[in-house]
Amino acid sequence: MSLLSKLLGGDKKAEKAAKDFLTGLLGNTQQNTSTQNSQNTASSVAPAARQVSSASSSGLSWGENMPDEENQFNFNGSFTQYFESIFNSEFSSYCYEKEILRGGRRIVYSFYGAAGKILVVELMPESCSAYKLRSDCKNANIGYLRFYYNHEGWWNTRAYVVSRMRNVLNG
Protein backbone atom coordinates (compact mmCIF):
# COMPACT_ATOMS: atom_id res chain seq x y z
CA MET A 1 0.00 0.00 0.00
CA SER A 2 1.43 3.38 -1.03
CA LEU A 3 1.66 6.44 1.19
CA LEU A 4 -1.04 8.17 -0.87
CA SER A 5 -3.34 5.19 -0.41
CA LYS A 6 -2.82 5.34 3.34
CA LEU A 7 -3.39 9.08 3.44
CA LEU A 8 -6.48 8.98 1.25
CA GLY A 9 -8.00 5.88 2.81
CA GLY A 10 -8.02 3.79 -0.34
CA ASP A 11 -10.04 6.25 -2.48
CA LYS A 12 -8.69 5.38 -5.95
CA LYS A 13 -10.01 8.54 -7.67
CA ALA A 14 -8.48 10.80 -5.05
CA GLU A 15 -5.24 8.82 -5.18
CA LYS A 16 -5.03 9.17 -9.00
CA ALA A 17 -5.79 12.91 -8.79
CA ALA A 18 -3.09 13.36 -6.15
CA LYS A 19 -0.57 11.38 -8.23
CA ASP A 20 -1.40 13.42 -11.34
CA PHE A 21 -1.06 16.62 -9.35
CA LEU A 22 2.30 15.59 -7.88
CA THR A 23 3.58 14.40 -11.26
CA GLY A 24 2.62 17.73 -12.82
CA LEU A 25 4.18 19.61 -9.94
CA LEU A 26 7.43 17.67 -10.18
CA GLY A 27 7.47 18.10 -13.95
CA ASN A 28 7.07 21.88 -13.57
CA THR A 29 9.80 21.95 -10.93
CA GLN A 30 12.17 20.09 -13.23
CA GLN A 31 11.26 22.45 -16.08
CA ASN A 32 11.82 25.49 -13.86
CA THR A 33 15.16 24.08 -12.70
CA SER A 34 16.36 23.58 -16.27
CA THR A 35 15.12 27.08 -17.18
CA GLN A 36 16.94 28.53 -14.17
CA ASN A 37 20.12 26.64 -15.09
CA SER A 38 20.04 28.08 -18.60
CA GLN A 39 19.33 31.55 -17.19
CA ASN A 40 22.19 31.18 -14.70
CA THR A 41 24.51 30.17 -17.53
CA ALA A 42 23.39 33.17 -19.57
CA SER A 43 23.66 35.52 -16.62
CA SER A 44 27.19 34.40 -15.79
CA VAL A 45 28.30 36.41 -18.80
CA ALA A 46 27.25 39.70 -17.15
CA PRO A 47 26.50 39.05 -13.46
CA ALA A 48 27.09 42.63 -12.32
CA ALA A 49 24.50 44.08 -14.67
CA ARG A 50 21.98 41.45 -13.59
CA GLN A 51 22.61 42.07 -9.89
CA VAL A 52 22.39 45.84 -10.26
CA SER A 53 19.06 45.72 -12.05
CA SER A 54 17.58 43.18 -9.64
CA ALA A 55 18.63 45.25 -6.63
CA SER A 56 17.24 48.47 -8.05
CA SER A 57 14.03 46.89 -9.27
CA SER A 58 13.28 45.50 -5.83
CA GLY A 59 14.02 48.80 -4.13
CA LEU A 60 16.73 47.36 -1.93
CA SER A 61 19.29 49.75 -0.56
CA TRP A 62 22.03 47.28 0.25
CA GLY A 63 24.07 44.68 -1.56
CA GLU A 64 27.36 44.12 -3.27
CA ASN A 65 26.64 46.16 -6.38
CA MET A 66 25.49 49.75 -6.62
CA PRO A 67 21.85 49.99 -7.74
CA ASP A 68 20.85 52.09 -10.76
CA GLU A 69 18.67 54.24 -8.52
CA GLU A 70 19.99 57.52 -7.17
CA ASN A 71 21.91 56.96 -3.94
CA GLN A 72 24.42 58.79 -1.81
CA PHE A 73 27.37 57.32 -3.73
CA ASN A 74 26.29 58.21 -7.27
CA PHE A 75 24.90 61.62 -6.24
CA ASN A 76 26.86 64.58 -7.55
CA GLY A 77 27.73 66.05 -4.15
CA SER A 78 28.52 65.13 -0.55
CA PHE A 79 26.42 62.76 1.51
CA THR A 80 24.97 65.71 3.43
CA GLN A 81 23.99 67.42 0.18
CA TYR A 82 22.38 64.15 -0.95
CA PHE A 83 20.23 63.83 2.16
CA GLU A 84 19.36 67.52 2.17
CA SER A 85 18.24 67.31 -1.46
CA ILE A 86 15.81 64.55 -0.42
CA PHE A 87 14.64 66.55 2.60
CA ASN A 88 14.06 69.64 0.45
CA SER A 89 12.24 67.88 -2.39
CA GLU A 90 10.27 65.15 -0.60
CA PHE A 91 9.64 66.74 2.80
CA SER A 92 9.42 70.42 1.97
CA SER A 93 6.34 70.84 4.18
CA TYR A 94 8.57 70.31 7.24
CA CYS A 95 11.13 72.73 8.61
CA TYR A 96 14.41 71.23 9.74
CA GLU A 97 17.50 72.30 11.61
CA LYS A 98 20.97 70.91 11.05
CA GLU A 99 23.44 70.30 13.86
CA ILE A 100 27.03 69.20 13.25
CA LEU A 101 28.55 67.10 16.03
CA ARG A 102 31.99 65.68 16.72
CA GLY A 103 33.77 67.72 14.05
CA GLY A 104 31.38 66.66 11.31
CA ARG A 105 31.41 62.93 12.03
CA ARG A 106 27.74 63.07 13.08
CA ILE A 107 25.11 65.29 11.51
CA VAL A 108 21.70 65.58 13.16
CA TYR A 109 18.61 66.94 11.42
CA SER A 110 15.61 67.84 13.56
CA PHE A 111 12.30 68.06 11.68
CA TYR A 112 9.44 70.18 12.96
CA GLY A 113 5.72 70.13 12.32
CA ALA A 114 2.84 72.08 13.84
CA ALA A 115 3.22 70.17 17.12
CA GLY A 116 6.96 70.77 17.46
CA LYS A 117 9.87 68.38 16.90
CA ILE A 118 8.55 65.21 15.25
CA LEU A 119 11.60 63.48 13.75
CA VAL A 120 15.34 63.36 14.23
CA VAL A 121 17.52 61.99 11.43
CA GLU A 122 21.10 61.19 12.38
CA LEU A 123 23.84 60.62 9.82
CA MET A 124 26.85 58.91 11.28
CA PRO A 125 29.79 56.62 10.47
CA GLU A 126 29.33 52.91 11.06
CA SER A 127 32.07 52.97 13.70
CA CYS A 128 30.07 55.31 15.92
CA SER A 129 28.34 53.72 18.88
CA ALA A 130 26.38 56.73 20.14
CA TYR A 131 22.94 55.82 21.48
CA LYS A 132 22.06 58.77 23.72
CA LEU A 133 20.24 60.77 21.05
CA ARG A 134 18.19 57.75 20.01
CA SER A 135 17.32 57.09 23.64
CA ASP A 136 16.41 60.74 24.25
CA CYS A 137 14.10 60.72 21.21
CA LYS A 138 12.40 57.54 22.39
CA ASN A 139 11.84 59.02 25.86
CA ALA A 140 10.41 62.22 24.34
CA ASN A 141 8.21 60.27 21.88
CA ILE A 142 10.01 61.79 18.88
CA GLY A 143 10.67 59.72 15.77
CA TYR A 144 14.29 58.77 15.21
CA LEU A 145 16.16 57.45 12.17
CA ARG A 146 19.81 56.67 11.72
CA PHE A 147 21.64 56.36 8.41
CA TYR A 148 25.26 55.25 8.19
CA TYR A 149 27.07 57.20 5.50
CA ASN A 150 30.13 54.98 5.15
CA HIS A 151 28.94 51.39 5.56
CA GLU A 152 30.12 49.34 2.59
CA GLY A 153 27.21 47.98 0.58
CA TRP A 154 24.59 50.20 2.21
CA TRP A 155 23.64 52.56 -0.57
CA ASN A 156 20.93 54.70 1.07
CA THR A 157 18.91 54.81 -2.14
CA ARG A 158 16.45 57.63 -2.53
CA ALA A 159 13.43 55.30 -2.26
CA TYR A 160 14.82 53.71 0.89
CA VAL A 161 15.44 57.04 2.64
CA VAL A 162 12.07 58.46 1.59
CA SER A 163 10.22 55.29 2.62
CA ARG A 164 11.78 55.17 6.08
CA MET A 165 11.11 58.84 6.70
CA ARG A 166 7.50 58.63 5.50
CA ASN A 167 6.90 55.61 7.72
CA VAL A 168 7.94 57.59 10.78
CA LEU A 169 6.25 60.84 9.77
CA ASN A 170 2.97 59.17 8.80
CA GLY A 171 2.72 56.70 11.47
Side-chain angles (χ1 to χ4, degrees):
M1 184 178 262
S2 74
L3 178 61
L4 283 176
S5 295
K6 287 180 184 177
L7 288 174
L8 298 173
D11 184 344
K12 297 293 182 191
K13 285 185 182 179
E15 184 178 346
K16 180 174 178 359
K19 280 183 182 178
D20 290 345
F21 174 77
L22 289 174
T23 302
L25 185 64
L26 291 174
N28 288 340
T29 303
Q30 289 170 347
Q31 255 184 343
N32 290 342
T33 303
S34 65
T35 303
Q36 285 176 342
N37 287 342
S38 66
Q39 287 174 346
N40 289 343
T41 303
S43 69
S44 66
V45 176
R50 186 175 154 267
Q51 290 174 352
V52 167
S53 64
S54 67
S56 62
S57 66
S58 66
L60 296 178
S61 188
W62 53 89
E64 245 179 74
N65 298 303
M66 183 185 300
D68 290 335
E69 181 184 353
E70 181 182 59
N71 63 72
Q72 77 176 65
F73 297 99
N74 65 14
F75 180 78
N76 190 21
S78 68
F79 69 91
T80 55
Q81 291 170 330
Y82 169 70
F83 281 94
E84 289 171 11
S85 76
I86 293 173
F87 301 159
N88 293 331
S89 65
E90 300 291 331
F91 304 97
S92 59
S93 61
Y94 299 96
C95 296
Y96 68 86
E97 293 177 348
K98 176 181 179 180
E99 184 179 2
I100 299 171
L101 305 173
R102 307 206 25 98
R105 287 181 38 87
R106 291 175 45 218
I107 292 75
V108 176
Y109 296 90
S110 298
F111 288 80
Y112 296 87
K117 189 186 290 189
I118 54 174
L119 172 64
V120 171
V121 174
E122 186 171 25
L123 307 179
M124 60 195 311
E126 68 177 332
S127 61
C128 186
S129 61
Y131 295 102
K132 183 174 182 345
L133 180 59
R134 179 168 59 183
S135 177
D136 290 347
C137 287
K138 183 178 179 179
N139 292 337
N141 203 25
I142 297 170
Y144 172 87
L145 291 173
R146 172 181 288 186
F147 295 99
Y148 294 109
Y149 58 77
N150 67 342
H151 187 87
E152 186 176 337
W154 289 12
W155 304 103
N156 290 324
T157 60
R158 182 178 195 86
Y160 174 73
V161 173
V162 169
S163 172
R164 286 188 66 203
M165 289 184 67
R166 282 203 175 122
N167 284 341
V168 172
L169 291 169
N170 296 331

